[in-house]
Amino acid sequence: MSTHDDDRAAPGPDAPDATTVEALGSLSKALETAERARGHLYGFHQLTGTADFELDRAVRLLTEAGHHAWAERVEKEILGRDVMPGHWTYQIVDSYNETYYEPFRSLERAAVAALSGGREHRFEARLQRERRTPGGPGPVPAPQDDA
């Protein structure tokens, strides 16, 4: 049985009230925003790493061109430098994951389990039911779960 409330013809008697569904929808939306921020951190991590490796090429080319002082300066001042005091980008990503993302994700899952019987996306399912074009093309109601 899916944990997603893709579409129930109507909420069951044990379904949470509309305000709880909306609150859980808001909590999930906030988590989705944190997911996007996390993705940007991974982008930051990868782009910074790519830039750092490209510095190797810059140092080599500056050396080949006879600009030894500039090659040495790039190598000593920027290459392999901490992006924050004592931190490389992977440490920032790890810290975000450990101190913010994972606790947030765990809390959201616990709230859905406790307040919505483990059914995710009830808010979106409600919108789907309310906004479906009658008789037109578009989302088809999901079959009812047997359980």
Side-chain angles (χ1 to χ4, degrees), residues 3-123:
T3 61
H4 293 81
D5 191 352
D6 298 324
D7 181 80
R8 302 291 174 239
D14 296 332
D17 63 85
T19 303
T20 300
V21 168
E22 189 171 349
L24 291 173
S26 186
L27 184 61
S28 293
K29 182 178 180 180
L31 178 59
E32 290 169 5
T33 302
E35 292 269 7
R36 289 180 60 205
R38 183 173 179 244
H40 287 292
L41 275 178
Y42 277 97
F44 160 73
H45 164 63
Q46 292 172 349
L47 289 169
T48 302
T50 299
D52 194 65
F53 281 109
E54 187 64 23
L55 289 173
D56 290 327
R57 182 172 184 263
V59 168
R60 181 180 51 79
L61 292 170
L62 286 167
T63 301
E64 286 177 16
H67 304 291
H68 299 283
W70 281 106
E72 186 176 314
R73 188 169 176 192
V74 169
E75 194 169 32
K76 286 186 177 182
E77 292 182 25
I78 304 297
L79 186 68
R81 184 184 182 109
D82 290 353
V83 295
M84 292 173 49
H87 294 85
W88 272 28
T89 58
Y90 77 91
Q91 292 166 309
I92 295 168
V93 171
D94 288 351
S95 184
Y96 181 85
N97 284 337
E98 293 168 14
T99 62
Y100 187 77
Y101 173 72
E102 290 297 338
F104 192 165
R105 185 171 173 236
S106 293
L107 183 140
E108 190 267 348
R109 285 184 173 186
V112 168
L115 303 175
S116 187
R119 292 271 181 208
E120 298 175 288
H121 303 289
R122 283 187 183 263
F123 181 76

